[in-house]
Amino acid sequence: MPPNLPDAVLWSIPAFVLLTLVEVVSYRLHPDEDAAGYSGKDAATSLSMGLGSLGFDLLWKIPVVAVYTAAYELTPLRVPVLWWTIPLMLLAQDFLYYWSHRGHHVVRILWACHVVHHSSRKFNLSTALRQPWTSLTVWPFYLPFILLGAHPAALAFCSSANLVYQFWVHTERIGKLPRPVEYVFNTPSHHRVHHASQGGYLDRNFGGILILWDRLFGSFTAETERPVFGLTKNIETYNPLRVATHEYAAIARDVRAARDWRERAGRVFRGPGWQPE
């Protein structure tokens, strides 16, 4: 029998809405001229992307669950869902999330999925809801979790808990926290760096719950100068469909214009900023 674990994201939606409204009101009562703040169109786009992702994720779950279930049946290993194994599974999922997140920044076809989340020039709690509609590219990174004997339902729970944790780090209203917290956990300060478009901040701080992975694997950068949010080349649209697909369209244009197969492969599988010599 699959473990009876809740979907933390669905249970947290009321809190997401309430906290976002509280943050909006806080900007009304105590404006911050240096902060990116809120824009009605931008927040509406983020909300539309979040709602759309819920529907598309249900679609993508059909083949992914089939693959995970087959892998779970093939492996002889089993990890029971107990009070002491759940923290270990959360730790393992967070480790794999780090590599998935990092991979989605350095491989362009994967970036085409993840770029949606970075497409806003604002950084607030509504930005956390700006999720991609093509998350089918994520599943291979978590296959080791299943092959080590964890049930697919346990992976779903850990992944949802990780996403819920990351909601609160999308804000400019919280400064730096006490040093031990900043050293171990992903915080708003660390995640502001991750969403910044300055050269020294690009492709840094990939951790979900823990920032320790970034410290361990050399991708950590502390927040010093004020971040400028968005992409190195921003998109001028609030259309959710274009936000969801603009990088795929750009890849298609570059592949059509490529001079040979080596360049075509580079346009798809090298980094987002890659150019042929």
Side-chain angles (χ1 to χ4, degrees):
M1 292 293 291
N4 185 22
L5 294 169
D7 186 326
V9 171
L10 290 178
W11 280 97
S12 300
I13 288 176
F16 291 166
V17 174
L18 177 61
L19 290 172
T20 301
L21 291 175
V22 169
E23 188 180 47
V24 170
V25 171
S26 78
Y27 274 108
R28 295 284 186 179
L29 298 177
H30 300 285
D32 183 349
E33 293 182 359
D34 293 327
Y38 272 85
S39 159
K41 288 183 178 180
D42 181 83
T45 299
S46 294
L47 180 59
S48 298
M49 299 305 299
L51 292 173
S53 73
L54 292 176
F56 280 102
D57 282 350
L58 288 175
L59 177 64
W60 304 136
K61 279 179 181 178
I62 297 172
V64 171
V65 169
V67 172
Y68 283 166
T69 301
Y72 183 73
E73 293 301 324
L74 288 172
T75 182
L77 304 175
R78 287 293 180 267
V79 177
V81 178
L82 302 170
W83 67 268
W84 62 272
T85 60
I86 290 177
L88 295 176
M89 287 191 286
L90 285 168
L91 184 67
Q93 189 276 336
D94 195 54
F95 174 75
L96 295 175
Y97 172 85
Y98 169 85
W99 289 109
S100 172
H101 195 182
R102 188 166 180 168
H104 278 73
H105 272 255
V106 300
V107 178
R108 191 180 181 192
I109 192 63
L110 302 183
W111 172 245
C113 163
H114 185 62
V115 67
V116 169
H117 185 60
H118 287 261
S119 60
S120 174
R121 285 185 244 184
K122 307 293 184 181
F123 190 76
N124 51 56
L125 293 177
S126 75
T127 309
L129 306 178
R130 186 176 287 226
Q131 295 296 321
W133 294 357
T134 55
S135 57
L136 190 61
T137 57
V138 171
W139 72 267
F141 291 91
Y142 295 104
L143 197 56
F145 190 91
I146 305 299
L147 293 175
L148 288 173
H151 195 280
L155 173 59
F157 168 74
C158 292
S159 297
S160 65
N162 198 309
L163 283 175
V164 168
Y165 176 88
Q166 290 186 60
F167 176 77
W168 76 280
V169 302
H170 291 81
T171 184
E172 292 189 87
R173 302 304 264 179
I174 299 175
K176 290 195 175 184
L177 299 173
R179 185 174 297 179
V181 177
E182 293 283 345
Y183 191 85
V184 174
F185 294 99
N186 187 18
T187 65
S189 176
H190 299 327
H191 208 58
R192 285 192 290 269
V193 169
H194 180 71
H195 274 257
S197 59
Q198 293 108 305
Y201 283 170
L202 289 177
D203 298 335
R204 312 300 289 175
N205 299 1
F206 300 108
I209 295 175
L210 300 178
I211 204 67
L212 290 174
W213 310 124
D214 291 280
R215 297 185 185 277
L216 181 61
F217 297 111
S219 55
F220 174 74
T221 293
E223 183 181 31
T224 52
E225 62 179 307
R226 196 172 192 93
V228 177
F229 302 111
L231 306 173
T232 55
K233 184 178 180 181
N234 286 300
I235 55 174
E236 305 296 333
T237 181
Y238 295 105
N239 183 323
L241 184 59
R242 289 186 61 195
V243 172
T245 61
H246 73 273
E247 184 64 15
Y248 293 106
I251 291 174
R253 289 193 298 269
D254 287 344
V255 168
R256 283 197 301 269
R259 294 166 295 182
D260 52 41
W261 283 105
R262 183 177 180 181
E263 183 180 343
R264 292 186 185 99
R267 295 294 190 181
V268 175
F269 299 110
R270 299 292 288 267
W274 179 82
Q275 295 289 336
E277 294 181 359

